[in-house]
Amino acid sequence: LLFVGTFLAAWISFHPFQSLAQPPQAVNEAGDLVNQLAFSGLFLALLAWTWFHEPQRILFAARPALVILLLWIALTCVTSWEPALAVRRFAFAVVLLGIGAMVLLLPKSVRHFSDLIAAVTLITLIACYLGVLLVPQLAVHQATDFLEPEHAGEWRGVFSHKNQAGAVMVMFVFIGLFVMRMRSLALGGLIAALALIFLGFSGSKTAMGVLPMVLILSAIIGHTRRPIVGITLVVAILFAFNLFSVGTVIFPAVQKLVAMVMPDATFTGRTDIWEVGVQAVAQRPITGYGFSAFFGTPEVVYGLGENQTWANEATDAHNAYLNLALTIGLPGLLLTILWAVVLPIADFYRLPSDARSAPMQLLFLRVCLYGIYSSCFESSIFQQVGEVWFFFMISAFGLRYASRMRTTA
């Protein structure tokens, strides 16, 4: 129950089926009280359970790279232009990290994990389809939406945006493939089919584009025995993604090249936001502006000097790596890439050759790869309560645990 409740809280959330017809509420610096209380309660419940069930296992999650990263983030909170806001959001991020590290310790075995994750996925899928069927005005984008009415007709289910729905459906496809190998061909196939259908109706281009790439790349990594080859390949593709996205506002030659091959070289308006972000990073490249304390703050909303544009009202950079450079500086960005990108791939290569746990390891690898590359167009890393970030960090912890602990059937 604790496992299922934790995943449902992250995926369905405590605010499903939000109406988009009204203007969005102004960002409350105090945060969402319901989320804070609920996830704090889950954290305490998981902590109590872990305390009585081999608590030493949690130490595997506290690897040096993560500890150094958290210490650096704490420093950026002190130097932030909004220190109180940065500290509050950092504290909540630590709570989520703790939840992600502990929730994987609940299942008794890999098979038990597959049963639980299949149940959570089916509950979420059923909720999404029932929303489309019974309350389409709350589960499908409408022409009356206050923001982005052009998305009318595209499915979003329990989520607040079609792109969120699409991202979750991609992860559900991975879960379906995992369940097919681990538990039941029919059940896994049903999960994957339902997720693919919903993904198609969501119209999420990023999700549909990254999905086949992740499947191909995970197959290549799975058949490559040399860690340096896999890590280099993952990092090189990540660099290319960012060069031909954010790089278009830095290098004119790259912008011209992208404009020659893409009908929309602005990435649906993202380049305006990236330009504001790149200029701001250049002013504070080391410590940044404080953890999660840039977009949405009065200093940005009301203009950075003479550079005020509509992009100043954006909620994030629409690129997790630029977002990290803005908020925790370039050192924090590099530490995050080390912990969230490089080390999980290294852990995958460090895993013992165990046919019983191989499907779970492949699931975690695919989720990590999707999180890595989808973050080039969405700010999902260290998102306060993000559906992708939640499973991304759990998968990173999962690969770490699997590389250090003996798994059971």
Side-chain angles (χ1 to χ4, degrees):
L1 288 175
L2 187 55
F3 182 97
V4 171
T6 300
F7 272 82
L8 290 180
W11 283 346
I12 293 184
S13 82
F14 297 99
H15 307 287
F17 300 119
Q18 298 178 29
S19 173
L20 304 182
Q22 303 299 321
Q25 295 181 350
V27 177
N28 183 0
E29 290 189 1
D32 188 313
L33 183 60
V34 174
N35 278 339
Q36 291 172 352
L37 293 176
F39 282 99
S40 296
L42 287 170
F43 175 82
L44 292 175
L46 286 164
L47 188 63
W49 188 94
T50 303
W51 179 261
F52 292 103
H53 296 82
E54 300 181 74
Q56 68 277 10
R57 295 182 297 168
I58 196 68
L59 296 178
F60 289 124
R63 62 195 319 163
L66 177 58
V67 174
I68 296 172
L69 171 60
L70 294 178
L71 290 174
W72 177 262
I73 293 176
L75 174 63
T76 67
C77 292
V78 175
T79 61
S80 172
W81 61 4
E82 292 279 355
L85 175 64
V87 167
R88 287 196 299 271
R89 291 182 172 176
F90 176 50
F92 189 66
V94 171
V95 167
L96 289 180
L97 283 171
I99 290 173
M102 291 185 288
V103 73
L104 277 182
L105 302 178
L106 296 174
K108 303 173 185 177
S109 64
V110 178
R111 176 164 288 191
H112 189 205
F113 169 76
S114 71
D115 292 343
L116 294 175
I117 201 70
V120 176
T121 303
L122 280 174
I123 291 171
T124 308
L125 282 168
I126 290 171
C128 287
Y129 275 98
L130 285 177
V132 172
L133 179 65
L134 301 177
V135 283
Q137 69 276 16
L138 300 178
V140 179
H141 282 287
Q142 305 290 315
T144 55
D145 288 357
F146 186 81
L147 299 175
E148 300 179 308
E150 65 273 15
H151 295 325
E154 295 175 329
W155 294 7
R156 59 185 179 92
V158 298
F159 309 100
S160 60
H161 196 276
K162 68 173 182 93
N163 288 341
Q164 291 174 275
V168 173
M169 293 305 145
V170 168
M171 295 190 295
F172 285 179
V173 171
F174 299 151
I175 291 172
L177 297 175
F178 163 66
V179 174
M180 286 174 67
R181 292 184 58 187
M182 194 67 220
R183 204 67 172 103
S184 166
L185 186 66
L187 178 60
L190 175 65
I191 291 173
L194 290 175
L196 280 172
I197 293 170
F198 205 98
L199 172 62
F201 280 101
S202 74
S204 177
K205 298 181 181 64
T206 299
M208 288 187 282
V210 176
L211 170 60
M213 189 194 75
V214 168
L215 293 175
I216 294 171
L217 185 57
S218 63
I220 294 173
I221 293 174
H223 287 85
T224 303
R225 291 296 91 198
R226 298 179 61 188
I228 188 63
V229 175
I231 292 172
T232 301
L233 180 62
V234 171
V235 173
I237 295 175
L238 176 62
F239 175 80
F241 265 45
N242 282 288
L243 175 63
F244 291 102
S245 56
V246 176
T248 59
V249 304
I250 304 174
F251 307 106
V254 175
Q255 195 279 331
K256 292 180 181 178
L257 179 62
V258 171
M260 291 173 58
V261 298
M262 286 186 61
D264 179 14
T266 70
F267 297 90
T268 61
R270 286 176 171 86
T271 50
D272 291 336
I273 303 173
W274 294 340
E275 188 170 358
V276 170
V278 168
Q279 292 173 357
V281 169
Q283 296 177 28
R284 296 183 66 165
I286 304 302
T287 60
Y289 296 83
F291 182 77
S292 290
F294 184 77
F295 286 106
T297 60
E299 294 87 345
V300 176
V301 173
Y302 299 111
L304 292 169
E306 298 178 354
N307 299 324
Q308 184 173 4
T309 69
W310 72 269
N312 292 55
E313 299 181 9
T315 56
D316 58 73
H318 287 279
N319 179 289
Y321 306 99
L322 177 57
N323 221 53
L324 290 168
L326 280 166
T327 56
I328 59 177
L330 296 178
L333 169 62
L334 294 176
L335 286 168
T336 304
I337 291 175
L338 173 63
W339 172 68
V341 177
V342 176
L343 291 179
I345 307 302
D347 286 334
F348 179 80
Y349 282 103
R350 198 179 294 120
L351 297 175
S353 180
D354 185 351
R356 296 172 300 179
S357 58
M360 180 186 68
Q361 297 158 5
L362 184 59
L363 166 65
F364 289 153
L365 174 66
R366 286 169 170 166
V367 172
C368 282
L369 290 174
Y370 181 76
I372 290 168
Y373 296 123
S374 65
S375 293
C376 296
F377 302 98
E378 302 293 341
S379 298
S380 51
I381 299 179
F382 279 118
Q383 194 174 8
Q384 288 295 289
V385 184
E387 299 85 1
V388 173
W389 171 238
F390 180 74
F391 205 23
F392 182 2
M393 67 173 177
I394 283 178
S395 297
F397 286 131
L399 289 171
R400 172 65 171 173
Y401 287 146
S403 70
R404 304 293 294 181
M405 296 188 294
R406 184 182 297 275
T407 57
T408 62

